[in-house]
């Protein structure tokens, strides 16, 4: 597909069209990308992948209502594919509807059982404060992949919320050991480690580490979120509120809105209004 004088022309089928739209989006030429996706859906309305890719695009642009509509159509056309219902779950999560997100993730898990689907469903339960269910699901992820630092961290979070402090600490320490040799950038590893250290009660080490990362990567919404979690878990509510406000400015909303560790920060009027 290409755009010539405002007209979309087909030079290679649906796959080529989706790739072309993806390139336009990468170049921040969203109007042209959306025009191609719209033509794909119009030309091949029974091809579920066209609706799915269009829904992905709309989701990334924050148009959640339109994204959900496209993804629902993709799911109707291919009910055996897990991709549309999974992303539909994230749409509902981003829209604040935990119950619909949970149902979507349950269906996705039934279609494609595995650790990633279990993690997503566990997250929906965790955000809904159903910590027993999230622990059950995340424990299965640890059993399937005992070398996953993130999985041990998830289990530890659920145990901590349930007041099972000693068990949580064991999993946090396992997570820290595993994360030291995990792939990825050093900054990503250290930011994640900081909030785990805070959960383990090692607040001086945690805050020193996260403040260094925030100084090296100003404005990064993910690091700001980890910074807010670190501060909140260490009882530094003022600092947590400052970091949450900055992270919201960078586009991070869903995790902040639901994370149980930030409940006190969310009640701060300075945070609640912009959130």
């Amino acid at each position: 597909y290409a755009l010539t004088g405002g007209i979309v022309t087909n030079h290679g089928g649906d796959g080529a069209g989706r790739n072309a739209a993806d390139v336009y989006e990468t170049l921040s030429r969203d109007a042209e990308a959306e025009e191609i996706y719209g033509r794909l859906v119009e030309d091949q309305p029974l091809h579920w992948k066209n609706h799915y890719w269009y829904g992905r695009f709309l989701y990334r642009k924050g148009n959640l209502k339109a994204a959900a509509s496209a993804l629902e159509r993709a799911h109707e056309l291919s009910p055996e594919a897990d991709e549309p219902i999974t992303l539909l779950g994230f749409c509902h999560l981003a829209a604040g509807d935990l119950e619909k997100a949970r149902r979507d993730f349950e269906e996705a898990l039934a279609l494609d059982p595995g650790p990633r689907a279990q993690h997503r469903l566990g997250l929906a339960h965790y955000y809904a404060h159903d910590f027993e269910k999230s622990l059950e699901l995340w424990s299965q992820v640890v059993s399937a992949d005992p070398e996953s630092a993130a999985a041990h961290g998830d289990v530890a979070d659920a145990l901590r919320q349930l007041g099972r402090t000693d068990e949580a600490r064991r999993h946090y320490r396992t997570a820290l050991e595993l994360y030291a040799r995990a792939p990825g950038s050093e900054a990503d590893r250290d930011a994640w480690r900081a909030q785990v250290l805070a959960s383990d009660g090692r607040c001086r080490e945690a805050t020193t580490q996260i403040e260094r990362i925030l100084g090296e990567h100003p404005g990064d919404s993910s690091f700001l979120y980890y910074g807010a979690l670190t501060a909140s878990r260490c009882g530094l509510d003022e600092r947590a509120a400052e970091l949450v406000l900055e992270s919201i400015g960078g586009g991070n909303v869903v995790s902040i809105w639901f994370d149980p560790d930030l409940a006190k920060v969310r009640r701060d009027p300075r945070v609640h209004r912009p959130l």
Side-chain angles (χ1 to χ4, degrees), residues 3-72:
L3 284 167
T4 307
I7 299 173
V8 185
T9 55
N10 186 341
H11 296 299
D14 292 349
R18 292 192 294 267
N19 289 337
D22 191 51
V23 170
Y24 278 119
E25 183 184 357
T26 302
L27 295 171
S28 299
R29 295 166 64 175
D30 292 343
E32 291 153 299
E34 185 162 8
E35 187 175 350
I36 291 178
Y37 283 127
R39 181 59 63 87
L40 285 167
V41 168
E42 183 180 323
D43 288 349
Q44 295 289 338
L46 300 182
H47 196 323
W48 73 270
K49 284 191 176 180
N50 290 336
H51 294 277
Y52 170 64
W53 276 54
Y54 190 24
R56 286 178 62 201
F57 169 80
L58 293 166
Y59 173 77
R60 287 193 294 267
K61 301 305 158 189
N63 191 346
L64 298 178
K65 186 175 181 180
S69 178
L71 293 165
E72 286 166 357

Side-chain angles (χ1 to χ4, degrees), residues 217-263:
H217 302 272
D220 186 296
S221 62
S222 295
F223 292 152
L224 289 163
Y225 170 62
Y226 282 129
L229 283 180
T230 301
S232 181
R233 291 177 185 183
C234 288
L236 304 172
D237 296 331
E238 283 293 320
R239 182 58 174 151
E242 292 172 5
L243 294 171
V244 161
L245 285 169
E246 288 187 59
S247 190
I248 293 171
N252 188 5
V253 174
V254 177
S255 298
I256 291 169
W257 187 255
F258 289 118
D259 198 303
D261 285 326
L262 297 177

Side-chain angles (χ1 to χ4, degrees), residues 94-112:
D97 195 329
L98 281 173
E99 181 60 25
K100 284 186 178 179
R102 181 189 59 77
R103 291 200 301 267
D104 294 335
F105 291 148
E106 283 178 347
E107 187 172 349
L109 178 60
L111 289 168
D112 185 25

Side-chain angles (χ1 to χ4, degrees), residues 14-180:
D14 292 349
R18 292 192 294 267
N19 289 337
D22 191 51
V23 170
Y24 278 119
E25 183 184 357
T26 302
L27 295 171
S28 299
R29 295 166 64 175
D30 292 343
E32 291 153 299
E34 185 162 8
E35 187 175 350
I36 291 178
Y37 283 127
R39 181 59 63 87
L40 285 167
V41 168
E42 183 180 323
D43 288 349
Q44 295 289 338
L46 300 182
H47 196 323
W48 73 270
K49 284 191 176 180
N50 290 336
H51 294 277
Y52 170 64
W53 276 54
Y54 190 24
R56 286 178 62 201
F57 169 80
L58 293 166
Y59 173 77
R60 287 193 294 267
K61 301 305 158 189
N63 191 346
L64 298 178
K65 186 175 181 180
S69 178
L71 293 165
E72 286 166 357
R73 182 57 178 150
H75 184 54
E76 289 172 4
L77 292 169
S78 184
E80 74 283 356
D82 67 290
E83 296 97 325
I85 194 67
T86 296
L87 188 53
L88 186 59
F90 281 110
C91 269
H92 287 140
L93 194 63
D97 195 329
L98 281 173
E99 181 60 25
K100 284 186 178 179
R102 181 189 59 77
R103 291 200 301 267
D104 294 335
F105 291 148
E106 283 178 347
E107 187 172 349
L109 178 60
L111 289 168
D112 185 25
R116 293 181 68 186
Q118 287 170 322
H119 166 75
R120 288 189 290 260
L121 181 55
L123 186 65
H125 283 285
Y126 185 77
Y127 282 164
H129 293 203
D130 185 356
F131 303 124
E132 289 283 3
K133 186 62 178 180
S134 61
L135 176 60
E136 175 190 330
L137 289 158
W138 287 342
S139 294
Q140 293 173 28
V141 178
V142 168
S143 296
D145 188 4
E147 295 297 302
S148 170
H152 282 280
D154 288 338
V155 166
D157 283 343
L159 287 166
R160 178 171 53 84
Q161 298 292 351
L162 290 166
R164 294 162 62 176
T165 307
D166 290 341
E167 294 171 84
R169 183 167 287 119
R170 286 198 294 273
H171 279 281
Y172 279 131
R173 291 178 180 175
T174 299
L176 289 170
E177 291 172 7
L178 292 170
Y179 229 93

Side-chain angles (χ1 to χ4, degrees), residues 148-150 152-154 156-157 160 169 171-213 222-223 225-231 233-234:
S148 170
H152 282 280
D154 288 338
D157 283 343
R160 178 171 53 84
R169 183 167 287 119
H171 279 281
Y172 279 131
R173 291 178 180 175
T174 299
L176 289 170
E177 291 172 7
L178 292 170
Y179 229 93
R181 55 180 185 269
S185 74
E186 183 178 354
D188 287 334
R189 287 196 301 271
D190 285 351
W192 190 89
R193 287 182 74 251
Q195 50 100 18
V196 174
L197 287 167
S199 302
D200 194 30
R202 297 159 65 180
C203 285
R204 179 175 295 181
E205 187 178 352
T207 53
T208 298
Q209 186 161 288
I210 196 65
E211 292 296 344
R212 173 180 57 79
I213 294 166
S222 295
F223 292 152
Y225 170 62
Y226 282 129
L229 283 180
T230 301
R233 291 177 185 183
C234 288

